[in-house]
Amino acid sequence: METSAPTARESALGFTEGVRCGWLTSDLIAWCEEHLVRTERLLLSHPGPLQRVCEHEVGVVTLQPSSPEARAKARRTTNSAVPRILEGSRHRVLQALRTAIDTDQVAFVHAALLASTVVRIKRADGLAAWRVRLTEDIALSDQVLALFALDALEHPSDYANELAVCDACGAVSLSPARLGSRHGCTRHPFGSCDTPRSRSGTPPHGLIVPGSIDESLT
Ligand SMILES: [Zn+2]
């Protein structure tokens, strides 16, 4: 892996925040190439670029077909399928992260280990390390959750104390400088309380940092 390769956290947050801000097919292809293929987290069974992505309950979409006929057909299906795959993946990832916050259990980490999308390896220097190991046939949400899982294995306290998913906008944060609730973000410090519709109908719970409220409401 290149020394300048993005960390698992950078790659995972790049996906959740990118999709939240309205990714197009080209953004997905670029992210897969930079964060999965080039980093050798995803090993292709064929030469050339990533050809397809899949998602639970959505299906498979061909990104870069080889023949002109397949390309023409793929353009039609890609236009409608990729946004559904992106939103479906992000929704499933946010659900897993919210469950971790609500239950204090990182079930998505256990799932990644069970599925061997995160594995223990021995590095060249003899030290043990975690590694993300993916293929094209693994659902996009599971690929992203593997990145979060590796990050959680390397930084467990961040996931026990700092992980936040905003109920208002879906922003994911692992920042130690997080303000307000673990169901909020810097723009919506108290998550669903900042919007007319609450996710659960009850006030969000979590830490409130004394002295930070005024600043976070700006
Ligand atoms: Zn928010």
Side-chain angles (χ1 to χ4, degrees):
M1 194 188 298
E2 298 169 20
T3 52
S4 61
T7 64
R9 180 176 300 190
E10 288 168 343
S11 299
L13 292 178
F15 177 88
T16 56
E17 295 312 284
V19 176
R20 189 169 72 87
C21 295
W23 263 8
L24 305 172
T25 305
S26 55
D27 299 310
L28 172 64
I29 292 171
W31 179 83
C32 288
E33 175 61 29
E34 180 182 351
H35 294 268
L36 301 184
V37 178
R38 214 178 298 161
T39 56
E40 298 177 358
R41 291 169 178 151
L42 190 154
L43 298 177
L44 295 169
S45 58
H46 52 79
L50 188 77
Q51 292 184 351
R52 61 187 185 275
V53 291
C54 60
E55 181 53 46
H56 300 282
E57 297 177 12
V58 181
V60 183
V61 61
T62 304
L63 295 173
Q64 300 178 91
S66 48
S67 73
E69 298 79 21
R71 262 199 296 279
K73 186 182 172 201
R75 256 197 300 277
R76 289 196 297 276
T77 55
T78 302
N79 285 342
S80 61
V82 165
R84 285 192 294 130
I85 284 204
L86 288 173
E87 267 314 313
S89 298
R90 189 176 80 102
H91 178 73
R92 194 162 171 273
V93 169
L94 296 195
Q95 265 191 328
L97 297 179
R98 282 183 171 130
T99 298
I101 293 169
D102 292 341
T103 63
D104 281 332
Q105 301 283 328
V106 282
F108 69 92
V109 175
H110 303 300
L113 292 171
L114 202 62
S116 297
T117 54
V118 175
V119 294
R120 196 78 162 149
I121 59 150
K122 200 172 192 179
R123 300 190 318 198
D125 58 11
L127 295 175
W130 296 106
R131 189 94 173 84
V132 168
R133 194 176 65 185
L134 307 169
T135 68
E136 275 180 309
D137 297 322
I138 293 170
L140 184 58
S141 58
D142 290 326
Q143 296 180 354
V144 177
L145 283 169
L147 296 167
F148 275 115
L150 182 141
D151 191 41
L153 286 163
E154 292 182 341
H155 308 282
S157 66
D158 289 357
Y159 284 76
N161 304 310
E162 304 295 343
L163 174 65
V165 180
C166 182
D167 282 351
C169 69
V172 178
S173 163
L174 280 155
S175 165
R178 179 180 46 76
L179 306 171
S181 158
R182 294 186 69 189
H183 291 279
C185 71
T186 50
R187 282 187 62 220
H188 313 103
F190 305 104
S192 55
C193 276
D194 288 342
T195 63
R197 282 191 305 169
S198 164
R199 180 171 69 123
S200 61
T202 55
H205 60 275
L207 293 175
I208 296 173
V209 182
S212 66
I213 296 172
D214 290 344
E215 186 188 341
S216 64
L217 286 173
T218 56

